[in-house]
Amino acid sequence: MRTTILSFARKFLLLSLLLGLYSSAHAQNYAPYRAPTPPAAFRIAADEDTIRGWRRGGDGTLNFSQVSLSNWAPGGQSSLSLLALGNAYVYFRGENHTFAVATNLVYGLLKAGKSKVRKNDDRLELNARYARNYANKWSYAAQLNLKTQLTPTKDITKPDSLLSKFFAPAYILASVGFEYKPSDDFSLFLSPATGKFTVVNDQRLADVGAFGVKAARLDADGLPIIGSGERLREELGAYLNVRYRRSLMTNITYQTRVELFSNYFHNPQNVDVNWENLLDFKVNKFFSASVATALVYDDDVLVPLNADKQNSDFTAQGRRIQFKETLGIGLTYKF
């Protein structure tokens, strides 16, 4: 599976580079980009902006979905869902350097049938970046990325359980490197020195080794020593970040981002992958639709195998590709 992911990532990077070159060569043939309404992971760097000075902005979107069934022969379940998306940024452009801070938030609720309302999405991301030009299309850059969630997540079948919460986990990437940006629609950031920090701010989760931290030590009887699990894991490695976007036709925009991280000192061949895609349909000033996907693979993170019914053992865990898809139609406000 690791070989497959590496091969897939290489093919994707090559495809993105070819598409970026093609886009640059034909930039005059399609309409200028209009910022999409759903939040991308880091939008500032891609904005078409050559004006010096400070800028700020953002937008928010509410997506609703409702299904009602009555005497429906094929079966199914009535449901109601709400998904909120928002982002905000501040941005500064000087003569030879830029500075940006941006945050993205996604939070979703779902009520299926007569069950209680529960969370089906929860993401908080903060990005900060400084870049200084040293050649045409090339910059030195330093950036900081933080990903976590807002509220606790529990197992549906075990109300007293805890799967995750705010800063448990939190993933922090601190990178210095070089950025190649031939156009506003394509950028490639390569960092040979990136620190990756995984924070698990809950001792119960740390004791079981959740999210790749070191689990609790065992006593002479082979039982875990409560409180001895480590809450922080540090890694040093190489990091690659590629972003691409393109206006497919009027009011339809596609953008993608892939992140690869390899730990220099622990199985460097097992590359962490984070690949996000967003297809945005802008209906008018206030209404929009979007399709978003996220694919994640981290060799150090074990996921419950019973989540996709691959194992009858409800406590079994293993390495798997994590995938999420979201389709939404909603109301947007931009400021």
Side-chain angles (χ1 to χ4, degrees):
M1 180 172 61
R2 300 165 188 167
T3 303
T4 303
I5 290 177
L6 288 173
S7 176
F8 176 76
R10 293 192 189 101
K11 293 178 180 178
F12 174 78
L13 291 175
L14 178 60
L15 178 60
S16 298
L17 180 60
L18 293 175
L19 289 174
L21 295 175
Y22 177 86
S23 175
S24 299
H26 297 76
Q28 70 281 12
N29 294 333
Y30 56 84
Y33 171 76
R34 295 294 182 270
T37 48
F42 190 23
R43 305 176 51 166
I44 306 308
D47 281 345
E48 287 186 334
D49 178 20
T50 57
I51 302 174
R52 294 180 185 177
W54 287 94
R55 291 188 63 194
R56 59 181 174 82
D59 59 49
T61 300
L62 281 177
N63 290 332
F64 302 93
S65 174
Q66 185 263 336
V67 176
S68 179
L69 302 177
S70 178
N71 300 323
W72 191 251
Q77 191 174 41
S78 300
S79 65
L80 178 66
S81 66
L82 172 66
L83 183 67
L85 310 96
N87 65 75
Y89 68 86
V90 292
Y91 178 58
F92 176 80
R93 176 182 288 275
E95 182 177 358
N96 294 313
H97 62 275
T98 59
F99 174 73
V101 177
T103 182
N104 292 313
L105 173 65
V106 180
Y107 197 86
L109 296 173
L110 169 69
K111 179 174 174 53
K114 296 182 180 179
S115 62
K116 295 182 179 179
V117 176
R118 57 187 175 88
K119 180 177 67 174
N120 64 352
D121 208 338
D122 186 357
R123 285 175 283 161
L124 174 64
E125 181 171 355
L126 177 67
N127 289 282
R129 189 185 67 170
Y130 173 81
R132 185 175 184 82
N133 297 336
Y134 69 92
N136 185 28
K137 303 176 183 177
W138 287 90
S139 301
Y140 303 115
Q143 66 178 41
L144 181 69
N145 172 265
L146 166 67
K147 295 178 182 176
T148 186
Q149 63 186 59
L150 292 177
T151 61
T153 303
K154 299 180 179 180
D155 192 319
I156 299 176
T157 60
K158 301 176 182 177
D160 296 333
S161 66
L162 178 65
L163 299 178
S164 59
K165 68 176 190 179
F166 181 65
F167 260 73
Y171 299 102
I172 302 172
L173 283 173
S175 310
V176 291
F178 308 91
E179 183 183 53
Y180 173 64
K181 190 176 180 183
S183 72
D184 290 323
D185 292 330
F186 179 81
S187 67
L188 185 151
F189 174 74
L190 176 62
S191 169
T194 291
K196 180 180 179 181
F197 306 92
T198 303
V199 181
V200 179
N201 190 31
D202 184 274
Q203 195 59 56
R204 291 171 294 174
L205 295 174
D207 285 344
V208 299
F211 309 107
V213 297
K214 192 172 183 179
R217 299 189 302 274
L218 302 180
D219 60 17
D221 297 325
L223 299 175
I225 302 174
I226 303 302
S228 62
E230 297 184 1
R231 296 190 179 196
L232 175 66
R233 182 183 183 193
E234 307 97 343
E235 300 175 76
L236 177 63
Y239 173 72
L240 177 67
N241 185 319
V242 180
R243 307 170 193 271
Y244 173 74
R245 68 177 177 182
R246 179 164 186 178
S247 177
L248 301 179
M249 57 184 68
T250 303
N251 292 336
I252 299 179
T253 304
Y254 168 74
Q255 56 182 307
T256 184
R257 176 180 70 162
V258 62
E259 296 175 281
L260 306 177
F261 175 80
S262 174
N263 187 335
Y264 286 142
F265 305 105
H266 179 69
N267 295 328
Q269 72 279 8
N270 297 341
V271 178
D272 297 344
V273 179
N274 185 358
W275 183 22
E276 299 176 355
N277 292 279
L278 175 65
L279 189 61
D280 176 53
F281 306 84
K282 187 174 182 180
V283 179
N284 55 37
K285 183 178 179 180
F286 298 104
F287 292 94
S288 65
S290 64
V291 179
T293 66
L295 183 151
V296 177
Y297 179 79
D298 189 332
D299 192 65
D300 301 311
V301 176
L302 305 179
V303 299
L305 298 184
N306 61 302
D308 49 7
K309 301 180 181 179
Q310 297 182 27
N311 198 311
S312 58
D313 182 0
F314 289 92
T315 63
Q317 293 183 319
R319 297 173 177 82
R320 289 292 187 275
I321 295 175
Q322 305 169 57
F323 182 78
K324 176 184 289 186
E325 180 269 337
T326 305
L327 169 64
I329 300 174
L331 178 66
T332 297
Y333 175 73
K334 187 174 182 178
F335 58 94

